[in-house]
Amino acid sequence: MPESGQKTTQGHISGTQAAVPAARRAGLLVTLVLGGLTALPPLSMDMYLPALPEVTRSLTAPAATVQLTLTACLAGMALGQLVVGPMSDKWGRRRPLLAGMVVYVLATAVCAFAPSAELLIAFRLLQGLAGAAGIVIARAVVRDLYDGVEMARFFSTLMLISGVAPIVAPLIGGQILRITDWRGVFHVLAVIGVLLTLVVWRFLHETLPPERRQEGGVGQALRTMRGLLADRVFTGYMLAGGLAFAALFAYISASPFVVQEIYGASPQTFSLLFGLNSIGLVAVGQINGKLLVGRVSLDKALGWGLSVILLAATALLLMTAGVFGDVGLVPIAAGLFVLMSAMGLAMPNTNAQALMRTPHAAGSASALLGTSSFLIGAVASPLVGIAGERTAVPMAVVQLTCATAALAGYLLLCRPWHRTP
């Protein structure tokens, strides 16, 4: 490696010895940048939700076709991580991230001027593919900068930002629609993308020095992923996190219907309950990062989280199936609150434990973690309505199945009692 290249690398963040001190010096700035990258995908999905009826009228397209604009964006976010993750292991974090952000801005701008539903679907897919760069590289950067309990703490902090984004995104979208049409939502997202790109270019230095990068092309990336999946413990954490995320997806998909249609709550009540559940998730995530990490092993905290999710899902199934009679909305809401809050223990700790095993391929590992969560969640979500619109039992069954499989996968594959914390 030329001497000038060595000096450039050392001028940013060179090697693991310099990474953590540099991250501590710029802790708040790194948190804000990575938090913005993590929050961009939920903003892209949820700011657009209030505009769906208007899009249907504006483009004279069936509602089912317009719904595909959401599916396309979600599919892009899942598949894009598989591409960007290995790229970041080979070329470093900055170049793939900046390229993804530029493509995201361009795709979002085209969405704002799309003349047809078909073109909107195509560029929502591209928007998701490009936006996936923020998700996967943010996790990889955390792995580059932190290790052990500090990494778990940082993931809990990121949950504070990513947990707030889905709450405020529909509210922002609704306010935008008060002053402009649905195309204005994409104009705002494009501006956010431009600002975030400039912040990344200016403040987020390279965190993967050349000596730690992967060599080879697509074949090497596939071999790396195959090697990660062959690691029984990594696969256990990946499945536990993905299945827990699927239980969360089941809640997001079914809760508007369950709370409003079955239990007769108003949209305002639903919004309040949704917000409270999100606050519970964020609060427990902060308790995990500020109080538990460093005092309790990550495996033990993860086991508690998965166990509470399982117990809450069991209680929800018993209540929705009528075992305790007609319990009403309050007990159901309480069960959902406990389930959602326990995600604050499960999700950051699965990510931290999985990535601690993969310092040699953090980008590929992050891609597998993100893609598995999105794909398992996408499979679980449609199942919540399989029995029609008059019962919440399918939601509880899906949640209980996912929670049981998550805990079983964790215990059988990770075997935490066999490993030294």
Side-chain angles (χ1 to χ4, degrees):
M1 180 179 174
E3 184 179 353
S4 61
Q6 292 178 346
K7 291 180 179 178
T8 300
T9 302
Q10 292 169 358
H12 290 140
I13 300 175
S14 58
T16 54
Q17 292 181 346
V20 171
R24 284 173 177 158
R25 288 196 300 270
L28 178 59
L29 182 59
V30 171
T31 301
L32 293 176
V33 174
L34 298 183
L37 293 172
T38 305
L40 188 60
L43 286 176
S44 302
M45 289 288 294
D46 297 342
M47 276 179 63
Y48 175 66
L49 293 179
L52 285 178
E54 185 181 338
V55 176
T56 303
R57 293 189 297 270
S58 173
L59 300 180
T60 60
T65 301
V66 174
Q67 287 284 350
L68 289 177
T69 62
L70 296 175
T71 304
C73 188
L74 184 62
M77 289 179 189
L79 298 176
Q81 295 184 63
L82 288 177
V83 177
V84 178
M87 287 173 58
S88 75
D89 283 337
K90 181 179 181 180
W91 294 319
R93 311 304 185 202
R94 271 177 60 86
R95 283 191 289 173
L97 177 56
L98 288 170
M101 292 302 300
V102 170
V103 174
Y104 172 88
V105 170
L106 295 175
T108 304
V110 174
C111 287
F113 297 100
S116 66
E118 291 75 19
L119 190 63
L120 182 60
I121 291 169
F123 278 91
R124 283 285 278 175
L125 175 64
L126 182 60
Q127 184 192 40
L129 287 167
I135 307 173
V136 67
I137 292 180
R139 276 196 301 263
V141 168
V142 174
R143 181 62 190 92
D144 294 339
L145 298 178
Y146 296 97
D147 201 0
V149 296
E150 290 193 354
M151 181 164 56
R153 286 195 181 104
F154 200 95
F155 276 125
S156 295
T157 302
L158 284 186
M159 283 194 64
L160 176 62
I161 300 173
S162 60
V164 170
I167 302 174
V168 301
L171 300 177
I172 296 173
Q175 294 305 309
I176 292 172
L177 292 176
R178 292 171 65 92
I179 57 176
T180 183
D181 61 5
W182 64 271
R183 299 180 188 275
V185 175
F186 289 106
H187 288 136
V188 172
L189 285 172
V191 171
I192 293 173
V194 169
L195 294 176
L196 193 53
T197 302
L198 293 174
V199 170
V200 169
W201 176 77
R202 175 64 180 84
F203 296 109
L204 187 64
H205 299 300
E206 181 58 65
T207 60
L208 186 67
E211 63 269 17
R212 290 175 51 203
R213 295 177 189 175
Q214 299 273 327
E215 298 295 334
V218 175
Q220 178 60 39
L222 293 176
R223 286 190 292 272
T224 299
M225 289 188 176
R226 184 174 61 189
L228 292 173
L229 293 174
D231 181 350
R232 169 179 53 80
V233 179
F234 172 84
T235 302
Y237 287 124
M238 182 187 74
L239 290 177
L243 288 163
F245 195 64
L248 175 63
F249 258 62
Y251 158 76
I252 293 173
S253 300
S255 59
F257 156 73
V258 169
V259 173
Q260 295 180 79
E261 299 298 325
I262 295 179
Y263 292 97
S266 66
Q268 292 74 25
T269 301
F270 164 72
S271 299
L272 176 62
L273 293 176
F274 191 89
L276 288 174
N277 290 338
S278 299
I279 291 171
L281 186 152
V282 170
V284 174
Q286 294 310 293
I287 292 172
N288 176 71
K290 305 298 183 184
L291 298 179
L292 298 183
V293 171
R295 296 178 175 87
V296 178
S297 74
L298 300 185
D299 275 322
K300 185 175 291 186
L302 173 56
W304 288 348
L306 294 175
S307 299
V308 173
I309 292 171
L310 177 61
L311 291 174
T314 302
L316 284 167
L317 179 59
L318 294 175
M319 289 188 289
T320 55
V323 173
F324 304 119
D326 187 5
V327 296
L329 177 59
V330 172
I332 297 294
L336 290 172
F337 177 81
V338 172
L339 185 144
M340 279 285 288
S341 298
M343 295 289 176
L345 288 177
M347 292 180 359
N349 290 323
T350 51
N351 282 333
Q353 290 287 69
L355 288 173
M356 270 195 285
R357 298 185 63 82
T358 58
H360 59 289
S364 296
S366 177
L368 288 173
L369 291 172
T371 301
S372 63
S373 295
F374 275 100
L375 291 181
I376 297 172
V379 171
S381 293
L383 299 178
V384 299
I386 199 169
E389 301 182 354
R390 298 298 177 188
T391 174
V393 170
M395 177 194 73
V397 169
V398 170
Q399 290 175 329
L400 181 58
T401 302
C402 291
T404 303
L407 185 58
Y410 168 63
L411 294 176
L412 294 176
L413 295 177
C414 299
R415 302 174 190 173
W417 57 87
H418 286 169
R419 291 180 293 111
T420 302

